[in-house]
Amino acid sequence: MYVLNKITGEKQAATITKIDAAEISQINKTRRFDFNWNKEKSFHVYKLTVEDKEEPIGLLSINERPQDYALEIRLLAVSKENVGQSKNYNRIAGCLIAFACREAFKKGFGGYVCLKPKTKFEKHYMRQYGLQSTKIYLITEGENSLQLIQEYYEDKQEGN
C-alpha cells in the first residue's frame, strides 16, 4: 500500500495499524483531524502512517454489523494538512476505504461496506471509489470492493 507524495510525485509506503484509547486521546489533542475521536474508543480505530513516520495522516473508525453482513465506516478523516489543493499526500481516503473492504471480506461479509458521508463528499465518493447510494448510506460490495483493494491496498510500490 502506498500514498502519493504530491510534492515529489513519489510513491511512499503506507501502513494501517489499530490504535488504542490512549493513542486516540493523544491524536485528538493534536487537533490535526476533524471530529472528536474520543467518541470512537468503543469501536475499531485505525491510523494510516507513512513509512518512517509515527504521526498519522489518516484515521478510520469501523463497526462490525454482523446482522447486516456489513462493516460500517463510522468516521474517516484525513489530517488537515492533507486536505485541499495544498495537501502533501494523495490516496489516503482510498487506502482507508480499501482496508475496510478487505476487512469486510475477512469477516465473511462479501466486501460489503457502508458509510454515511457528509453531503459535500457524497458525489466524490461515488465518482472516485464507485460507491452506490441507498439514500441513507453509500455502499460498496463484491466486485467494486475487490477493485478498491487491488487499486489502493495491494498495489505495491515500484521495485518491491
Side-chain angles (χ1 to χ4, degrees), residues 41-72:
K41 288 179 180 177
S42 61
F43 300 97
H44 302 282
V45 180
Y46 298 86
K47 68 178 178 179
L48 183 132
T49 54
V50 177
E51 191 174 45
D52 300 327
K53 294 188 180 160
E54 280 294 308
E55 225 170 49
I57 58 173
L59 295 175
L60 173 73
S61 172
I62 55 179
N63 184 33
E64 288 180 37
R65 293 177 44 172
Q67 71 279 13
D68 299 321
Y69 296 100
L71 273 187
E72 178 183 2

PDB file of all heavy atoms in Angstrom, residues 41-72:
ATOM      1  N   LYS A  41     -13.757   5.414  20.841  1.00  0.00           N
ATOM      2  CA  LYS A  41     -12.936   4.469  21.601  1.00  0.00           C
ATOM      3  C   LYS A  41     -13.550   3.085  21.753  1.00  0.00           C
ATOM      4  O   LYS A  41     -12.840   2.106  21.926  1.00  0.00           O
ATOM      5  CB  LYS A  41     -12.605   5.041  22.981  1.00  0.00           C
ATOM      6  CG  LYS A  41     -11.604   6.167  22.923  1.00  0.00           C
ATOM      7  CD  LYS A  41     -11.314   6.721  24.304  1.00  0.00           C
ATOM      8  CE  LYS A  41     -10.323   7.849  24.241  1.00  0.00           C
ATOM      9  NZ  LYS A  41     -10.084   8.448  25.554  1.00  0.00           N
ATOM     10  N   SER A  42     -14.870   2.976  21.662  1.00  0.00           N
ATOM     11  CA  SER A  42     -15.511   1.663  21.810  1.00  0.00           C
ATOM     12  C   SER A  42     -15.616   0.915  20.472  1.00  0.00           C
ATOM     13  O   SER A  42     -16.152  -0.183  20.411  1.00  0.00           O
ATOM     14  CB  SER A  42     -16.888   1.804  22.451  1.00  0.00           C
ATOM     15  OG  SER A  42     -17.723   2.602  21.641  1.00  0.00           O
ATOM     16  N   PHE A  43     -15.079   1.524  19.402  1.00  0.00           N
ATOM     17  CA  PHE A  43     -15.089   0.897  18.079  1.00  0.00           C
ATOM     18  C   PHE A  43     -13.660   0.557  17.662  1.00  0.00           C
ATOM     19  O   PHE A  43     -12.716   0.827  18.392  1.00  0.00           O
ATOM     20  CB  PHE A  43     -15.768   1.827  17.062  1.00  0.00           C
ATOM     21  CG  PHE A  43     -17.188   2.142  17.433  1.00  0.00           C
ATOM     22  CD1 PHE A  43     -17.504   3.315  18.101  1.00  0.00           C
ATOM     23  CD2 PHE A  43     -18.207   1.241  17.148  1.00  0.00           C
ATOM     24  CE1 PHE A  43     -18.813   3.590  18.476  1.00  0.00           C
ATOM     25  CE2 PHE A  43     -19.519   1.509  17.519  1.00  0.00           C
ATOM     26  CZ  PHE A  43     -19.819   2.674  18.189  1.00  0.00           C
ATOM     27  N   HIS A  44     -13.505  -0.017  16.485  1.00  0.00           N
ATOM     28  CA  HIS A  44     -12.177  -0.339  15.962  1.00  0.00           C
ATOM     29  C   HIS A  44     -11.638   0.895  15.246  1.00  0.00           C
ATOM     30  O   HIS A  44     -12.205   1.328  14.237  1.00  0.00           O
ATOM     31  CB  HIS A  44     -12.255  -1.505  14.980  1.00  0.00           C
ATOM     32  CG  HIS A  44     -12.836  -2.752  15.569  1.00  0.00           C
ATOM     33  ND1 HIS A  44     -12.121  -3.592  16.390  1.00  0.00           N
ATOM     34  CD2 HIS A  44     -14.071  -3.288  15.466  1.00  0.00           C
ATOM     35  CE1 HIS A  44     -12.889  -4.610  16.756  1.00  0.00           C
ATOM     36  NE2 HIS A  44     -14.090  -4.440  16.217  1.00  0.00           N
ATOM     37  N   VAL A  45     -10.551   1.464  15.783  1.00  0.00           N
ATOM     38  CA  VAL A  45      -9.968   2.670  15.192  1.00  0.00           C
ATOM     39  C   VAL A  45      -8.574   2.343  14.669  1.00  0.00           C
ATOM     40  O   VAL A  45      -7.781   1.693  15.347  1.00  0.00           O
ATOM     41  CB  VAL A  45      -9.918   3.836  16.205  1.00  0.00           C
ATOM     42  CG1 VAL A  45      -9.301   5.079  15.574  1.00  0.00           C
ATOM     43  CG2 VAL A  45     -11.319   4.154  16.727  1.00  0.00           C
ATOM     44  N   TYR A  46      -8.309   2.810  13.460  1.00  0.00           N
ATOM     45  CA  TYR A  46      -7.039   2.545  12.782  1.00  0.00           C
ATOM     46  C   TYR A  46      -6.418   3.851  12.324  1.00  0.00           C
ATOM     47  O   TYR A  46      -7.121   4.821  12.033  1.00  0.00           O
ATOM     48  CB  TYR A  46      -7.268   1.659  11.553  1.00  0.00           C
ATOM     49  CG  TYR A  46      -7.833   0.308  11.885  1.00  0.00           C
ATOM     50  CD1 TYR A  46      -9.206   0.120  12.011  1.00  0.00           C
ATOM     51  CD2 TYR A  46      -6.996  -0.782  12.096  1.00  0.00           C
ATOM     52  CE1 TYR A  46      -9.733  -1.122  12.331  1.00  0.00           C
ATOM     53  CE2 TYR A  46      -7.512  -2.028  12.419  1.00  0.00           C
ATOM     54  CZ  TYR A  46      -8.882  -2.187  12.530  1.00  0.00           C
ATOM     55  OH  TYR A  46      -9.393  -3.422  12.859  1.00  0.00           O
ATOM     56  N   LYS A  47      -5.096   3.844  12.245  1.00  0.00           N
ATOM     57  CA  LYS A  47      -4.385   5.002  11.706  1.00  0.00           C
ATOM     58  C   LYS A  47      -3.601   4.579  10.476  1.00  0.00           C
ATOM     59  O   LYS A  47      -3.146   3.441  10.367  1.00  0.00           O
ATOM     60  CB  LYS A  47      -3.443   5.604  12.751  1.00  0.00           C
ATOM     61  CG  LYS A  47      -2.263   4.709  13.113  1.00  0.00           C
ATOM     62  CD  LYS A  47      -1.337   5.380  14.107  1.00  0.00           C
ATOM     63  CE  LYS A  47      -0.183   4.434  14.482  1.00  0.00           C
ATOM     64  NZ  LYS A  47       0.745   5.063  15.432  1.00  0.00           N
ATOM     65  N   LEU A  48      -3.462   5.517   9.551  1.00  0.00           N
ATOM     66  CA  LEU A  48      -2.622   5.311   8.381  1.00  0.00           C
ATOM     67  C   LEU A  48      -1.394   6.193   8.555  1.00  0.00           C
ATOM     68  O   LEU A  48      -1.521   7.397   8.817  1.00  0.00           O
ATOM     69  CB  LEU A  48      -3.372   5.688   7.107  1.00  0.00           C
ATOM     70  CG  LEU A  48      -2.580   5.443   5.818  1.00  0.00           C
ATOM     71  CD1 LEU A  48      -3.439   4.704   4.802  1.00  0.00           C
ATOM     72  CD2 LEU A  48      -2.069   6.715   5.222  1.00  0.00           C
ATOM     73  N   THR A  49      -0.230   5.578   8.466  1.00  0.00           N
ATOM     74  CA  THR A  49       1.023   6.323   8.595  1.00  0.00           C
ATOM     75  C   THR A  49       1.884   6.077   7.371  1.00  0.00           C
ATOM     76  O   THR A  49       1.762   5.062   6.698  1.00  0.00           O
ATOM     77  CB  THR A  49       1.809   5.901   9.853  1.00  0.00           C
ATOM     78  OG1 THR A  49       2.000   4.489   9.831  1.00  0.00           O
ATOM     79  CG2 THR A  49       1.100   6.312  11.131  1.00  0.00           C
ATOM     80  N   VAL A  50       2.767   7.034   7.103  1.00  0.00           N
ATOM     81  CA  VAL A  50       3.741   6.908   6.029  1.00  0.00           C
ATOM     82  C   VAL A  50       4.992   6.286   6.633  1.00  0.00           C
ATOM     83  O   VAL A  50       5.343   6.558   7.789  1.00  0.00           O
ATOM     84  CB  VAL A  50       4.064   8.286   5.423  1.00  0.00           C
ATOM     85  CG1 VAL A  50       5.132   8.193   4.349  1.00  0.00           C
ATOM     86  CG2 VAL A  50       2.816   8.924   4.863  1.00  0.00           C
ATOM     87  N   GLU A  51       5.665   5.469   5.839  1.00  0.00           N
ATOM     88  CA  GLU A  51       6.889   4.797   6.269  1.00  0.00           C
ATOM     89  C   GLU A  51       7.839   5.755   6.993  1.00  0.00           C
ATOM     90  O   GLU A  51       8.053   6.883   6.552  1.00  0.00           O
ATOM     91  CB  GLU A  51       7.581   4.225   5.025  1.00  0.00           C
ATOM     92  CG  GLU A  51       8.713   3.283   5.327  1.00  0.00           C
ATOM     93  CD  GLU A  51       9.241   2.641   4.062  1.00  0.00           C
ATOM     94  OE1 GLU A  51       9.431   3.357   3.053  1.00  0.00           O
ATOM     95  OE2 GLU A  51       9.437   1.423   4.085  1.00  0.00           O
ATOM     96  N   ASP A  52       8.368   5.292   8.109  1.00  0.00           N
ATOM     97  CA  ASP A  52       9.334   6.032   8.932  1.00  0.00           C
ATOM     98  C   ASP A  52       8.755   7.244   9.659  1.00  0.00           C
ATOM     99  O   ASP A  52       9.494   8.089  10.139  1.00  0.00           O
ATOM    100  CB  ASP A  52      10.560   6.472   8.112  1.00  0.00           C
ATOM    101  CG  ASP A  52      11.297   5.287   7.513  1.00  0.00           C
ATOM    102  OD1 ASP A  52      11.313   4.206   8.142  1.00  0.00           O
ATOM    103  OD2 ASP A  52      11.863   5.447   6.422  1.00  0.00           O
ATOM    104  N   LYS A  53       7.426   7.357   9.730  1.00  0.00           N
ATOM    105  CA  LYS A  53       6.804   8.453  10.479  1.00  0.00           C
ATOM    106  C   LYS A  53       5.739   7.878  11.396  1.00  0.00           C
ATOM    107  O   LYS A  53       4.965   7.028  10.996  1.00  0.00           O
ATOM    108  CB  LYS A  53       6.198   9.492   9.538  1.00  0.00           C
ATOM    109  CG  LYS A  53       7.249  10.211   8.728  1.00  0.00           C
ATOM    110  CD  LYS A  53       6.660  11.361   7.966  1.00  0.00           C
ATOM    111  CE  LYS A  53       7.770  12.035   7.189  1.00  0.00           C
ATOM    112  NZ  LYS A  53       7.299  12.829   6.099  1.00  0.00           N
ATOM    113  N   GLU A  54       5.708   8.355  12.625  1.00  0.00           N
ATOM    114  CA  GLU A  54       4.721   7.887  13.603  1.00  0.00           C
ATOM    115  C   GLU A  54       3.386   8.610  13.471  1.00  0.00           C
ATOM    116  O   GLU A  54       2.346   8.064  13.763  1.00  0.00           O
ATOM    117  CB  GLU A  54       5.258   8.109  15.025  1.00  0.00           C
ATOM    118  CG  GLU A  54       6.235   7.045  15.476  1.00  0.00           C
ATOM    119  CD  GLU A  54       5.564   5.685  15.608  1.00  0.00           C
ATOM    120  OE1 GLU A  54       4.523   5.582  16.285  1.00  0.00           O
ATOM    121  OE2 GLU A  54       6.076   4.721  15.013  1.00  0.00           O
ATOM    122  N   GLU A  55       3.442   9.871  13.054  1.00  0.00           N
ATOM    123  CA  GLU A  55       2.254  10.715  13.010  1.00  0.00           C
ATOM    124  C   GLU A  55       1.265  10.222  11.956  1.00  0.00           C
ATOM    125  O   GLU A  55       1.631  10.063  10.792  1.00  0.00           O
ATOM    126  CB  GLU A  55       2.683  12.145  12.665  1.00  0.00           C
ATOM    127  CG  GLU A  55       2.036  13.175  13.503  1.00  0.00           C
ATOM    128  CD  GLU A  55       2.692  14.539  13.280  1.00  0.00           C
ATOM    129  OE1 GLU A  55       2.860  14.941  12.117  1.00  0.00           O
ATOM    130  OE2 GLU A  55       3.013  15.177  14.287  1.00  0.00           O
ATOM    131  N   PRO A  56       0.019   9.973  12.335  1.00  0.00           N
ATOM    132  CA  PRO A  56      -0.962   9.512  11.353  1.00  0.00           C
ATOM    133  C   PRO A  56      -1.349  10.606  10.364  1.00  0.00           C
ATOM    134  O   PRO A  56      -1.387  11.782  10.717  1.00  0.00           O
ATOM    135  CB  PRO A  56      -2.160   9.100  12.196  1.00  0.00           C
ATOM    136  CG  PRO A  56      -2.021   9.857  13.461  1.00  0.00           C
ATOM    137  CD  PRO A  56      -0.558  10.087  13.672  1.00  0.00           C
ATOM    138  N   ILE A  57      -1.634  10.175   9.124  1.00  0.00           N
ATOM    139  CA  ILE A  57      -2.141  11.112   8.117  1.00  0.00           C
ATOM    140  C   ILE A  57      -3.598  10.793   7.773  1.00  0.00           C
ATOM    141  O   ILE A  57      -4.249  11.543   7.071  1.00  0.00           O
ATOM    142  CB  ILE A  57      -1.268  11.132   6.843  1.00  0.00           C
ATOM    143  CG1 ILE A  57      -1.168   9.759   6.204  1.00  0.00           C
ATOM    144  CG2 ILE A  57       0.114  11.702   7.162  1.00  0.00           C
ATOM    145  CD1 ILE A  57      -0.469   9.730   4.847  1.00  0.00           C
ATOM    146  N   GLY A  58      -4.098   9.671   8.312  1.00  0.00           N
ATOM    147  CA  GLY A  58      -5.491   9.298   8.116  1.00  0.00           C
ATOM    148  C   GLY A  58      -5.982   8.470   9.283  1.00  0.00           C
ATOM    149  O   GLY A  58      -5.195   7.751   9.911  1.00  0.00           O
ATOM    150  N   LEU A  59      -7.266   8.585   9.608  1.00  0.00           N
ATOM    151  CA  LEU A  59      -7.892   7.813  10.686  1.00  0.00           C
ATOM    152  C   LEU A  59      -9.184   7.185  10.168  1.00  0.00           C
ATOM    153  O   LEU A  59      -9.880   7.775   9.334  1.00  0.00           O
ATOM    154  CB  LEU A  59      -8.218   8.695  11.895  1.00  0.00           C
ATOM    155  CG  LEU A  59      -7.055   9.311  12.661  1.00  0.00           C
ATOM    156  CD1 LEU A  59      -7.589  10.242  13.748  1.00  0.00           C
ATOM    157  CD2 LEU A  59      -6.167   8.247  13.260  1.00  0.00           C
ATOM    158  N   LEU A  60      -9.493   6.014  10.717  1.00  0.00           N
ATOM    159  CA  LEU A  60     -10.678   5.273  10.307  1.00  0.00           C
ATOM    160  C   LEU A  60     -11.281   4.593  11.520  1.00  0.00           C
ATOM    161  O   LEU A  60     -10.570   3.949  12.287  1.00  0.00           O
ATOM    162  CB  LEU A  60     -10.261   4.210   9.282  1.00  0.00           C
ATOM    163  CG  LEU A  60     -11.313   3.203   8.830  1.00  0.00           C
ATOM    164  CD1 LEU A  60     -12.322   3.878   7.913  1.00  0.00           C
ATOM    165  CD2 LEU A  60     -10.639   2.040   8.110  1.00  0.00           C
ATOM    166  N   SER A  61     -12.591   4.743  11.701  1.00  0.00           N
ATOM    167  CA  SER A  61     -13.324   4.034  12.746  1.00  0.00           C
ATOM    168  C   SER A  61     -14.347   3.148  12.059  1.00  0.00           C
ATOM    169  O   SER A  61     -15.143   3.628  11.243  1.00  0.00           O
ATOM    170  CB  SER A  61     -14.032   5.020  13.678  1.00  0.00           C
ATOM    171  OG  SER A  61     -14.882   4.330  14.568  1.00  0.00           O
ATOM    172  N   ILE A  62     -14.289   1.836  12.380  1.00  0.00           N
ATOM    173  CA  ILE A  62     -15.256   0.915  11.775  1.00  0.00           C
ATOM    174  C   ILE A  62     -15.999   0.132  12.854  1.00  0.00           C
ATOM    175  O   ILE A  62     -15.483  -0.099  13.940  1.00  0.00           O
ATOM    176  CB  ILE A  62     -14.619  -0.045  10.747  1.00  0.00           C
ATOM    177  CG1 ILE A  62     -13.462  -0.834  11.347  1.00  0.00           C
ATOM    178  CG2 ILE A  62     -14.176   0.694   9.510  1.00  0.00           C
ATOM    179  CD1 ILE A  62     -12.818  -1.817  10.379  1.00  0.00           C
ATOM    180  N   ASN A  63     -17.196  -0.246  12.508  1.00  0.00           N
ATOM    181  CA  ASN A  63     -18.059  -1.002  13.397  1.00  0.00           C
ATOM    182  C   ASN A  63     -18.562  -2.229  12.642  1.00  0.00           C
ATOM    183  O   ASN A  63     -19.054  -2.106  11.526  1.00  0.00           O
ATOM    184  CB  ASN A  63     -19.247  -0.143  13.840  1.00  0.00           C
ATOM    185  CG  ASN A  63     -20.133  -0.848  14.833  1.00  0.00           C
ATOM    186  OD1 ASN A  63     -19.685  -1.634  15.649  1.00  0.00           O
ATOM    187  ND2 ASN A  63     -21.419  -0.547  14.762  1.00  0.00           N
ATOM    188  N   GLU A  64     -18.415  -3.391  13.254  1.00  0.00           N
ATOM    189  CA  GLU A  64     -18.947  -4.609  12.642  1.00  0.00           C
ATOM    190  C   GLU A  64     -20.451  -4.638  12.820  1.00  0.00           C
ATOM    191  O   GLU A  64     -20.961  -4.354  13.897  1.00  0.00           O
ATOM    192  CB  GLU A  64     -18.335  -5.843  13.308  1.00  0.00           C
ATOM    193  CG  GLU A  64     -16.892  -6.055  12.961  1.00  0.00           C
ATOM    194  CD  GLU A  64     -16.317  -7.287  13.642  1.00  0.00           C
ATOM    195  OE1 GLU A  64     -17.024  -8.303  13.772  1.00  0.00           O
ATOM    196  OE2 GLU A  64     -15.151  -7.203  14.062  1.00  0.00           O
ATOM    197  N   ARG A  65     -21.146  -4.976  11.739  1.00  0.00           N
ATOM    198  CA  ARG A  65     -22.603  -5.103  11.777  1.00  0.00           C
ATOM    199  C   ARG A  65     -22.973  -6.476  11.250  1.00  0.00           C
ATOM    200  O   ARG A  65     -23.483  -6.606  10.134  1.00  0.00           O
ATOM    201  CB  ARG A  65     -23.244  -3.985  10.959  1.00  0.00           C
ATOM    202  CG  ARG A  65     -23.003  -2.620  11.603  1.00  0.00           C
ATOM    203  CD  ARG A  65     -23.540  -1.477  10.832  1.00  0.00           C
ATOM    204  NE  ARG A  65     -24.876  -1.708  10.316  1.00  0.00           N
ATOM    205  CZ  ARG A  65     -25.603  -0.777   9.735  1.00  0.00           C
ATOM    206  NH1 ARG A  65     -25.148   0.429   9.595  1.00  0.00           N
ATOM    207  NH2 ARG A  65     -26.807  -1.065   9.275  1.00  0.00           N
ATOM    208  N   PRO A  66     -22.723  -7.526  12.039  1.00  0.00           N
ATOM    209  CA  PRO A  66     -22.963  -8.887  11.554  1.00  0.00           C
ATOM    210  C   PRO A  66     -24.418  -9.128  11.172  1.00  0.00           C
ATOM    211  O   PRO A  66     -24.690  -9.911  10.253  1.00  0.00           O
ATOM    212  CB  PRO A  66     -22.526  -9.781  12.714  1.00  0.00           C
ATOM    213  CG  PRO A  66     -22.362  -8.896  13.885  1.00  0.00           C
ATOM    214  CD  PRO A  66     -22.192  -7.503  13.397  1.00  0.00           C
ATOM    215  N   GLN A  67     -25.367  -8.468  11.817  1.00  0.00           N
ATOM    216  CA  GLN A  67     -26.772  -8.648  11.480  1.00  0.00           C
ATOM    217  C   GLN A  67     -27.065  -8.175  10.057  1.00  0.00           C
ATOM    218  O   GLN A  67     -28.001  -8.638   9.429  1.00  0.00           O
ATOM    219  CB  GLN A  67     -27.680  -7.928  12.501  1.00  0.00           C
ATOM    220  CG  GLN A  67     -27.670  -6.409  12.432  1.00  0.00           C
ATOM    221  CD  GLN A  67     -26.496  -5.721  13.125  1.00  0.00           C
ATOM    222  OE1 GLN A  67     -25.505  -6.335  13.491  1.00  0.00           O
ATOM    223  NE2 GLN A  67     -26.617  -4.415  13.296  1.00  0.00           N
ATOM    224  N   ASP A  68     -26.235  -7.242   9.543  1.00  0.00           N
ATOM    225  CA  ASP A  68     -26.389  -6.729   8.178  1.00  0.00           C
ATOM    226  C   ASP A  68     -25.333  -7.297   7.231  1.00  0.00           C
ATOM    227  O   ASP A  68     -25.278  -6.899   6.068  1.00  0.00           O
ATOM    228  CB  ASP A  68     -26.265  -5.197   8.176  1.00  0.00           C
ATOM    229  CG  ASP A  68     -27.336  -4.533   9.018  1.00  0.00           C
ATOM    230  OD1 ASP A  68     -28.479  -5.006   8.990  1.00  0.00           O
ATOM    231  OD2 ASP A  68     -27.012  -3.533   9.698  1.00  0.00           O
ATOM    232  N   TYR A  69     -24.477  -8.185   7.734  1.00  0.00           N
ATOM    233  CA  TYR A  69     -23.348  -8.705   6.950  1.00  0.00           C
ATOM    234  C   TYR A  69     -22.546  -7.558   6.349  1.00  0.00           C
ATOM    235  O   TYR A  69     -22.254  -7.534   5.150  1.00  0.00           O
ATOM    236  CB  TYR A  69     -23.815  -9.673   5.853  1.00  0.00           C
ATOM    237  CG  TYR A  69     -24.463 -10.906   6.413  1.00  0.00           C
ATOM    238  CD1 TYR A  69     -25.847 -11.026   6.455  1.00  0.00           C
ATOM    239  CD2 TYR A  69     -23.690 -11.940   6.955  1.00  0.00           C
ATOM    240  CE1 TYR A  69     -26.454 -12.149   7.003  1.00  0.00           C
ATOM    241  CE2 TYR A  69     -24.287 -13.062   7.504  1.00  0.00           C
ATOM    242  CZ  TYR A  69     -25.664 -13.158   7.527  1.00  0.00           C
ATOM    243  OH  TYR A  69     -26.254 -14.252   8.076  1.00  0.00           O
ATOM    244  N   ALA A  70     -22.186  -6.604   7.218  1.00  0.00           N
ATOM    245  CA  ALA A  70     -21.506  -5.404   6.731  1.00  0.00           C
ATOM    246  C   ALA A  70     -20.533  -4.853   7.770  1.00  0.00           C
ATOM    247  O   ALA A  70     -20.677  -5.107   8.965  1.00  0.00           O
ATOM    248  CB  ALA A  70     -22.533  -4.330   6.392  1.00  0.00           C
ATOM    249  N   LEU A  71     -19.588  -4.086   7.257  1.00  0.00           N
ATOM    250  CA  LEU A  71     -18.760  -3.228   8.097  1.00  0.00           C
ATOM    251  C   LEU A  71     -19.214  -1.800   7.822  1.00  0.00           C
ATOM    252  O   LEU A  71     -19.401  -1.427   6.655  1.00  0.00           O
ATOM    253  CB  LEU A  71     -17.273  -3.334   7.718  1.00  0.00           C
ATOM    254  CG  LEU A  71     -16.434  -4.411   8.339  1.00  0.00           C
ATOM    255  CD1 LEU A  71     -14.971  -4.221   7.959  1.00  0.00           C
ATOM    256  CD2 LEU A  71     -16.573  -4.465   9.839  1.00  0.00           C
ATOM    257  N   GLU A  72     -19.397  -1.047   8.873  1.00  0.00           N
ATOM    258  CA  GLU A  72     -19.773   0.355   8.716  1.00  0.00           C
ATOM    259  C   GLU A  72     -18.572   1.229   9.006  1.00  0.00           C
ATOM    260  O   GLU A  72     -17.925   1.090  10.041  1.00  0.00           O
ATOM    261  CB  GLU A  72     -20.901   0.733   9.670  1.00  0.00           C
ATOM    262  CG  GLU A  72     -21.287   2.192   9.566  1.00  0.00           C
ATOM    263  CD  GLU A  72     -22.362   2.606  10.563  1.00  0.00           C
ATOM    264  OE1 GLU A  72     -22.798   1.772  11.374  1.00  0.00           O
ATOM    265  OE2 GLU A  72     -22.742   3.787  10.531  1.00  0.00           O
TER     266      GLU A  72
END
